Each structure stands twice: as structure tokens, then as C-alpha cells.
Amino acid sequence: MRTATLSRVLYRKPLLRLGSLLSLPLLWLVIAYLGSLAAMFLTAFWTVDAFTGNPVPGFSLGNFGSLFSDPTYLAVAARSLGVAAGVTVIDAIIALPLAFFMAKVASPRAQRFLVAAVLTPLWASYLVKAYAWRVMLGGSGVLDWMIGGGSQSYYGLTATTVTLAYLWLPYMILPVYAGLERIPNSLIEASSDLGASAWRTFRSVILPLLFPAVVAGSIFTFSLTLGDYITVKIVGGKSQLFANVIYDNVVTADNLPFAAAAGLFPVAVP
Amino acid sequence: MILSRRARILLFVAMMLGLAVIYVPLLVVVVNSFNSSRTFGWPPSGFTLDWWARTIDNAGMLQALLTSVEAGIGATAVALVLGTMAAFAVQRFKFFGRDTISLLVILPLALPGVVTGIALNNAFRAVLQPFGISLSLFTVIVGHATFCIVIVYNNVLARLRRLGGSLEEASMDLGADVFQTFRFVTFPLIRTALLSGGLLAFALSFDEIIVTTFTAGPGVTTLPIWIFSNLFRPNQAPVINVVAAALVILSVLPVWLATRVGGESAGGRI
């Protein structure tokens, strides 16, 4: 009987229904998640007590000051941006023909198969993919065997760029593929009818229309690269990227205010 | 689009190269797990099942696997409830700030893991510690659930959009109350979307390492954390190889299942 009453009340009052549906998700996401995010970025303005190492509330731009003036941090930031740009370029070069073939050349059946073939490894473990490149580039690994080197390993910044490009490749393929799907075939045919070669059509019709999709993919590759500190530990040799600065300041230096200030970088740049 | 034979062949070759880039590293990992050489040089010197047999009763690995499964189930359960509620609110109601909800839901997945991780770590230590709750499996589940919500949300939202509301209205017209309608009409219709969303959320949680690093207590080791801490130990290489190979094979399974049971798209992660 009581559920019937409750049901009647819920039925008559849509606002109550909406409120009860939204209550828990909002409680979780706004209070638990946005709350912690806000609190963290607030601590970016705090300082650290030199003796106890505890964060001291207050308002100071000191963390940002040292972040922007210390040449080490600037170098790491520049290096990370360079790696992110490299990752984006590699991904775009691989993704464009692949997505183009999927969207415009393959038969519908082959298309379904290809989408599944590209998407499935997206879900393969991140760590396993990075490890796969550690194996490929390691001493007497596949690369070493292919170029006939003397059992040496090839870890470093280039290895990191390649591995990150591998990890984020589906994040570029998917938006580009979706973008190509949205370009009507009639536009491409019209361009051909007007005498444009395939290359000219690609350059003057498809590429401009595809630009927003490539930008969307690049946002993924940039933000994911700038937030990653694990791949560089696995295949980077001794190199460091910007997220390592954040990580080390939390875990090793226990300087949360500085880490929070640094954490704004991968959020703000893309 | 009219493409010359040469352009078609070039595109096909580029696509096959792209697919090779995606799959070769994963294949190398799987092949290496049967490599009889202890240093895992390439090409493999022989075939052995020894490493697999040795890994299956590796106590540390089994404990980590169990922890990962527990965390995955916990996070998936929370994400199923919250994601479904949010999807219903957004799809069935018009209200101020509706678009913000979609943004809010995807934010934990869109922001770099290191930012989410530090924010949650900071909040847990500040809010929960005074109550005697320290970082533990519970905090890992909270962290994972936060970014798993969007997966369930996307799946259920897409299903609700396709269903429309007429079946539910018919059910109510025939005298069913709000709860009966949900139990006998809505739930059976969204069941497969819940199943595929749940599977994908589990896969995401199972694989996560960065947020886990910051939210796990000292004694909590999930499988990715265990792999990462053993990655640089040469004497553990055989075990790591087998675990990585098993994960490659296993990770394909939930995604394949999720698309089979009628998921909207495996690209829901993006």
C-alpha cells in the first residue's frame, strides 16, 4: 500500500521524480568530485611550511612563480609539449588514411569489421601496451633484431613518443572516422565531376571539412600525453615529462600545493 | 569517390600498415609468453608452457587479481546505479543545467588521471582520515566509480533515446504504477544496455593504474599496480610476460561480449 502511495506522489510530481533521480549522481559528482577538484586547485595558492612540510593555507602565487621562473620546469614543460606535438603528428599520419579507407573505400561489411578491429585494442590494458613497446624496443628485442643492432635497448624520448602515439591512436582514429562519415559522398563526387583529382579533392574539400575532427583528436592526444607519467618511466630511460613533476611533488616531495599548481598545466593547455 | 587503382592500393597498404602497428606489439607480447629463452630475446628460441604453469600459482599475482576484481565489481555496481539515474534524469526531463550534467559526468574521464588522482587523494586524506577511514580498497572503489559512471551513462542514455517514452506511457495508462512500469517495462528494455555498460565499466576499472596509485592504501595492490611494481625486475619477466599476454586475450573478451549483447558502441569510452 505504501509503495502505491509513493508511486502516486511520484507520478503527480515530476519535479520530485527528477530530484530523486538527480540527487545521488549529483551528490557524488558535485560534492565528492568537483569538491575535491576545487579544493585541490585552491591549495595551489597555499604554501608549505619549511620545517614541518605541512601545507599552510593562505594566498600566494609563489608556486606559480617558481613554476614559471625555474628553467628546469620550463624545459620539462617544453619537452612535454614537443612530445605531445610529435604524438599528435604520428597519430594523424596513421589515422587519416586508416579512417579514410574505413569510411569511404571499404564495403559496409568490411567497415564493421574494421571498426571492431580498431576499437578492440583500445580496451587492451594501458600497462600491457606500454609493456609491449618495452619488449619491442628492449635489449635484443624486435627492433634490435630488425636493424641488426648489438643487443642494445632503444629507450628514450623517441621511444616515449612512439609508445604514447601507439597508446592514444584510437583516440585520433575515432573522431576522424566519425568526421569522415559525416562528409556526404555527394560533395566528393561533385568535386570529382568538376574535374578535381583525388588528391585535390582530399586537400580542398575533405581536409577543410575534417579539420574540427582532427582538432578534437588532437585535444585527446595532447591532454592524455601531458597527464601521463607512467609510459615515460617504462620506455623513457632517464627522461622525464611534465606529469612526472606533478607525481614526484606529491609522492616524493610531499609538496601538494606545488603539485596542484603544476596540475593546472595539463588541464589548461589543451 | 572515384579513386585511381593506384590510390586505392596505396590507401589499402596504408590501412594494413596502420592495423599492423596496432596489432604487432600485442602479438609480440603473446608470442613472448611462450618463449623458452629466459632473456626473451627476439626471435623466440623455442616453445614452452613453463611460464604459464609457473604464473598460474603465483601468490602475489593471484592476490592482486582478486583485489582488482573486487574493486571492479564495487566500482561497476556504483556506476550502474548512478549512471542509470543520471541518464534517466537527462533523457526524460527538461531542466535548467541539463547540458552541464553531460559535461560533469564525462569530466573525470576527460581530465588527466594524475589530476583526478591527486584531487581525490587530497580530499580523502582531509575528509575521511579524521573519521578513522584511511586509504583502502573502499577509496579505490570510490575513485574508480567516479570515472566509470560516464560509461554506464552513455550506454543507458543512447538506449533511452532510441526507446522513447510511449511504452512507459502505455503501461501507466493500463494502470501500472511508477515502480511496476520500471520493473516490467523499462528495466527489461534497458537490461542489455546495462549489461554492456557494466562490462565496459568493469574493463575500465580493471585496467586503471593512475587514479588507483593515488587512492589505494599501502596494502591494496590491484593487478596493474602489481604489474608496474614488478615490471623492472628482470627475474619477474617471465611472470609479467604471461600476465600481459593473458590480459591482451582477456581484455578483448568483455568488449566483444559488450558489443554482442547489444551495446551502443565500444567507443563509449571516448
Side-chain angles (χ1 to χ4, degrees):
Chain A
M1 205 51 220
R2 277 177 57 205
T3 55
T5 326
L6 186 58
S7 165
R8 213 165 300 143
V9 174
L10 279 174
Y11 182 75
R12 295 220 178 102
K13 299 203 166 34
L15 263 184
L16 187 66
R17 249 182 307 159
L18 174 63
S20 46
L21 276 176
L22 276 179
S23 57
L24 279 178
L26 282 189
L27 212 64
W28 187 290
L29 285 169
V30 173
I31 298 189
Y33 184 63
L34 282 189
S36 358
L37 271 186
M40 181 188 75
F41 287 126
L42 209 63
T43 57
F45 299 101
W46 292 9
T47 49
V48 167
D49 190 297
F51 287 108
T52 61
N54 289 331
V56 182
F59 183 83
S60 125
L61 292 171
N63 293 321
F64 296 98
S66 45
L67 203 55
F68 281 110
S69 60
D70 191 325
T72 325
Y73 293 133
L74 290 179
V76 177
R79 190 188 309 147
S80 304
L81 285 175
V83 169
V87 167
T88 308
V89 170
I90 295 175
D91 278 347
I93 289 175
I94 299 177
L96 275 171
L98 190 65
F100 189 83
F101 190 90
M102 279 161 65
K104 297 291 177 198
V105 184
S107 68
R109 237 184 95 194
Q111 199 172 357
R112 267 204 305 281
F113 169 78
L114 284 172
V115 171
V118 168
L119 281 181
T120 307
L122 172 65
W123 293 88
S125 164
Y126 162 91
L127 210 51
V128 169
K129 285 194 251 182
Y131 177 67
W133 281 91
R134 188 178 166 82
V135 172
M136 299 257 297
L137 304 175
S140 63
V142 176
L143 179 72
D144 191 60
W145 168 72
M146 270 164 67
I147 61 178
S151 299
Q152 54 172 326
S153 54
Y154 301 86
Y155 303 140
L157 219 48
T158 317
T160 309
T161 312
V162 170
T163 307
L164 287 171
Y166 178 72
L167 282 164
W168 316 140
L169 182 60
Y171 291 85
M172 181 64 95
I173 295 180
L174 274 184
V176 171
Y177 171 70
L180 278 167
E181 284 259 273
R182 276 197 297 271
I183 298 178
N185 285 331
S186 55
L187 277 180
I188 300 171
E189 277 155 26
S191 166
S192 304
D193 289 347
L194 291 168
S197 67
W199 174 243
R200 181 69 202 263
T201 306
F202 180 74
R203 227 189 47 202
S204 309
V205 178
I206 296 174
L207 216 48
L209 287 170
L210 206 55
F211 189 68
V214 177
V215 170
S218 307
I219 290 176
F220 277 119
T221 54
F222 257 83
S223 107
L224 289 167
T225 302
L226 293 180
D228 189 282
Y229 65 88
I230 291 193
T231 297
V232 70
K233 284 193 182 186
I234 295 178
V235 294
K238 286 194 175 68
S239 11
Q240 284 219 324
L241 289 181
F242 199 80
N244 298 89
V245 172
I246 306 175
Y247 176 83
D248 290 343
N249 266 295
V250 178
V251 176
T252 320
D254 205 17
N255 186 343
L256 185 75
F258 190 81
L264 278 172
F265 177 72
V267 176
V269 168
Chain B
M1 179 171 182
I2 301 145
L3 282 170
S4 68
R5 207 183 142 71
R6 211 183 59 170
R8 263 168 196 278
I9 290 171
L10 274 178
L11 272 174
F12 183 76
V13 169
M15 184 207 65
M16 289 316 268
L17 279 178
L19 282 180
V21 167
I22 292 176
Y23 279 97
V24 165
L26 297 178
L27 275 177
V28 168
V29 167
V30 175
V31 171
N32 247 346
S33 70
F34 300 105
N35 188 344
S36 62
S37 147
R38 243 209 105 85
T39 53
F40 296 99
W42 194 266
S45 50
F47 177 86
T48 176
L49 287 172
D50 206 26
W51 310 133
W52 282 80
R54 221 183 276 186
T55 307
I56 283 168
D57 43 40
N58 182 309
M61 188 275 295
L62 288 176
Q63 183 57 45
L65 180 67
L66 185 69
T67 310
S68 269
V69 170
E70 284 172 354
I73 290 175
T76 307
V78 175
L80 276 174
V81 173
L82 297 184
T84 310
M85 288 172 84
F88 267 92
V90 165
Q91 170 60 23
R92 292 287 151 86
F93 296 91
K94 277 198 172 69
F95 55 94
F96 175 75
R98 194 170 68 157
D99 298 335
T100 326
I101 303 270
S102 301
L103 184 73
L104 185 63
V105 168
I106 200 165
L107 200 62
L109 205 56
L111 284 184
V114 65
V115 172
T116 303
I118 295 173
L120 288 177
N121 175 285
N122 186 22
F124 288 151
R125 285 201 295 186
V127 177
L128 293 182
Q129 221 110 320
F131 294 101
I133 305 169
S134 49
L135 295 178
S136 58
L137 185 64
F138 170 73
T139 48
V140 173
I141 291 177
V142 172
H144 283 197
T146 305
F147 59 74
C148 283
I149 293 174
V150 64
I151 310 280
V152 177
Y153 171 83
N154 278 347
N155 268 270
V156 175
L157 191 71
R159 175 63 54 89
L160 287 178
R161 217 170 255 157
R162 228 174 46 200
L163 287 177
S166 48
L167 284 171
E168 281 163 22
E169 276 165 27
S171 155
M172 301 253 210
D173 287 347
L174 292 169
D177 67 28
V178 173
F179 301 109
Q180 286 170 327
T181 303
F182 182 78
R183 238 184 81 195
F184 297 116
V185 178
T186 318
F187 181 72
L189 286 169
I190 63 166
R191 195 164 40 199
T192 50
L194 287 175
L195 190 56
S196 76
L199 277 168
L200 296 178
F202 184 85
L204 192 60
S205 157
F206 194 78
D207 174 36
E208 217 286 334
I209 178 160
I210 298 183
V211 174
T212 319
T213 309
F214 289 102
T215 52
V220 182
T221 310
T222 62
L223 195 58
I225 296 211
W226 183 84
I227 295 176
F228 189 64
S229 59
N230 286 293
L231 205 59
F232 305 102
R233 299 181 186 158
N235 61 337
Q236 288 281 36
V239 180
I240 295 292
N241 266 327
V242 172
V243 174
L247 281 182
V248 168
I249 299 162
L250 271 180
S251 66
V252 176
L253 213 64
V255 181
W256 186 76
L257 275 176
T259 43
R260 280 309 291 250
V261 297
E264 309 304 332
S265 79
R269 182 167 179 169
I270 296 183

